[in-house]
């Protein structure tokens, strides 16, 4: 026997409402390697050049996938709604698609805009040939072994999807990409994908895989910070693959992203006596891929540019071992203060926030055998 792979859209959906938390129970089937969400957003009026991620993704103030006391995915939950924008941009640089169609809504072809947001559990979102690797077993959510997996969607009170058009309604659909089989069959699939070779580097004989355990934080500085004087500790536990900062600028209408706040970042590991990197945020922006149709918050409505105020750091490039270069910085046995971000702020006004998302993986020691469905 071989494992069964399937991509199934759930029959249960979520309905948008302002300033609420929408809870959707998830199917208890298989090891889910990627969740794809599609928000069928209906605007109050037709728009064309207003198709912009700052508006289209703001209804996602937060998305969490959890079960019991375990949170697998989360986003920085701030009233500005930039958490969804952050995840959209990460999807773009990971090669998971543009996320939304371009052009006007023209009935009867479309009466809504379908907005896609993906949550990939592993560290290999793409195959070697560049295609999307939805059944990547370097990470998974054990939905088929959980008692009550669910998705919570937090919305904010700002229903403006561009500077003039409001959100009229919205329906959220959820597709799970999952792998099913006996424990032996799944281990064989892991061996073929090279996952067992990664597990062998852990030094944990009882390890059977990795699960996502993302950490979201919000900083609300009250003043500018010179010479890397704004500092915060990295979370402990697991492997830290990537950390992303979003500089959110408070405005009267709605928060935008800004490039004049966070101007330089340094990552220091005091116990190892090293600084892994120290440079301006301009270098990060200049290294980002072209983003299509960024919209008015980024000045360019069409033609593309790099996103401002958006700073992702892939920590695997700074790994001290082969394992860290695959999974991220190893914080399994670390204590608070083992590593810290040190930041320079050029400007600050009341309401400015820094949103941080740490994509972390924890070692899984549980069962692998799941119901085939």
């Amino acid at each position: 026997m071989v494992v069964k792979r399937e991509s199934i859209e759930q029959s249960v959906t979520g309905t948008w409402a302002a300033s609420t938390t929408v809870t959707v129970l998830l199917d208890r089937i298989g090891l889910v390697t990627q969740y794809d969400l599609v928000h069928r957003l209906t605007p109050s009026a037709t728009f064309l050049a207003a198709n912009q991620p700052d508006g289209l993704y703001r209804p996602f103030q937060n998305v969490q996938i959890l079960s019991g006391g375990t949170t697998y995915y989360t986003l920085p939950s701030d009233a500005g709604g930039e958490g969804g924008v952050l995840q959209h941009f990460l999807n773009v640089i990971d090669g998971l698609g543009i996320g939304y169609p371009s052009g006007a809504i023209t009935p009867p072809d479309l009466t809504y805009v379908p907005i896609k947001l993906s949550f990939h559990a592993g560290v290999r979102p793409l195959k070697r040939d560049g295609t999307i690797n939805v059944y990547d077993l370097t990470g998974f959510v054990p939905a088929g072994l959980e008692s009550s997996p669910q998705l919570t969607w937090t919305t904010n009170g700002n229903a403006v999807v561009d500077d003039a058009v409001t959100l009229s309604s919205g329906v959220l659909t959820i597709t799970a990409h999952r792998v099913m089989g006996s424990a032996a069959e799944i281990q064989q699939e892991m061996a073929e994908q090279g996952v067992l070779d990664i597990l062998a580097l852990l030094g944990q004989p009882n390890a059977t895989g990795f699960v996502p355990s993302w950490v979201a934080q919000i900083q609300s500085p009250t003043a500018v910070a010179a010479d890397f004087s704004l500092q915060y500790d990295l979370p402990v536990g697991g492997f830290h693959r990537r950390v992303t900062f979003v500089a959110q600028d408070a405005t009267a209408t709605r928060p935008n992203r800004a490039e004049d706040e966070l101007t330089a970042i340094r990552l220091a590991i005091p116990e190892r006596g090293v600084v892994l990197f120290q440079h301006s945020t301009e270098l990060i922006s200049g290294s980002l891929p072209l983003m299509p149709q960024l919209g008015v918050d980024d000045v360019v409505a069409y033609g593309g540019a790099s996103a401002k105020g958006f700073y992702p750091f892939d920590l695997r490039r700074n790994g001290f071992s082969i394992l860290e270069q695959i999974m991220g910085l190893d914080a399994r046995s670390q204590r608070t203060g083992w590593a810290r971000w040190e930041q320079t702020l050029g400007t600050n006004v009341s309401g400015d926030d820094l949103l941080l998302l740490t994509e972390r993986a924890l070692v899984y020691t549980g069962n692998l055998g799941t119901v085939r469905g």
Side-chain angles (χ1 to χ4, degrees), residues 135-289:
Y135 304 116
D136 167 26
L137 281 170
T138 58
F140 53 80
V141 174
L145 301 167
E146 291 281 14
S147 59
S148 57
Q150 59 185 266
L151 178 145
T152 62
W153 170 24
T154 303
T155 66
N156 56 26
N158 190 342
V160 178
V161 295
D162 69 2
D163 285 327
V165 180
T166 61
L167 195 159
S168 176
S169 64
V171 175
L172 185 71
T173 65
I174 304 165
T175 295
H177 305 275
R178 55 204 182 206
V179 178
M180 293 164 289
S182 68
E185 290 165 346
I186 290 173
Q187 284 183 327
Q188 178 60 37
E189 177 68 17
M190 285 182 163
E192 294 175 2
Q193 292 189 21
V195 180
L196 295 188
D197 294 333
I198 301 173
L199 293 174
L201 299 173
L202 288 173
Q204 291 183 235
N206 62 340
T208 54
F210 299 94
V211 294
S213 179
W214 291 9
V215 180
Q217 297 165 290
I218 297 174
Q219 296 184 90
S220 300
T222 58
V224 298
D227 301 323
F228 304 101
S229 58
L230 179 62
Q231 302 179 1
Y232 90 97
D233 294 330
L234 272 70
V236 298
F239 292 89
H240 297 207
R241 178 169 69 91
R242 179 168 57 190
V243 177
T244 303
F245 291 73
V246 168
Q248 183 171 268
D249 198 18
T251 64
T253 304
R254 56 180 171 82
N256 297 330
R257 285 170 289 108
E259 56 189 352
D260 61 344
E261 293 178 28
L262 187 59
T263 58
I265 301 180
R266 177 166 66 196
L267 177 58
I269 302 185
E271 71 172 31
R272 295 185 182 182
V274 297
V275 172
L276 294 187
F277 51 79
Q278 172 183 318
H279 50 66
S280 71
T281 52
E282 295 170 337
L283 175 61
I284 304 166
S285 295
S287 302
L288 292 174

Side-chain angles (χ1 to χ4, degrees), residues 284-344:
I284 304 166
S285 295
S287 302
L288 292 174
L290 192 69
M291 302 284 190
Q293 275 183 247
L294 285 175
V296 296
D297 281 357
D298 289 280
V299 180
V300 182
Y302 289 93
S306 65
K308 69 181 183 181
F310 168 72
Y311 310 112
F313 294 82
D314 192 326
L315 300 179
R316 293 175 294 181
R317 66 181 187 181
N318 298 99
F320 293 91
S321 65
I322 297 298
L323 179 60
E324 288 190 322
Q325 290 166 21
I326 297 171
M327 296 301 302
L329 294 185
D330 188 353
R332 284 178 293 168
S333 58
Q334 302 292 353
R335 295 178 295 180
T336 300
W338 72 282
R340 64 174 178 258
W341 291 105
E342 301 174 344
Q343 304 151 81
T344 299

Side-chain angles (χ1 to χ4, degrees), residues 12 25 49 54 87 110-111 115 117 172 225 227 265 346:
V12 180
L25 297 180
D54 265 349
Q87 184 64 13
L110 277 181
T111 57
I115 310 302
L117 205 59
L172 185 71
D227 301 323
I265 301 180

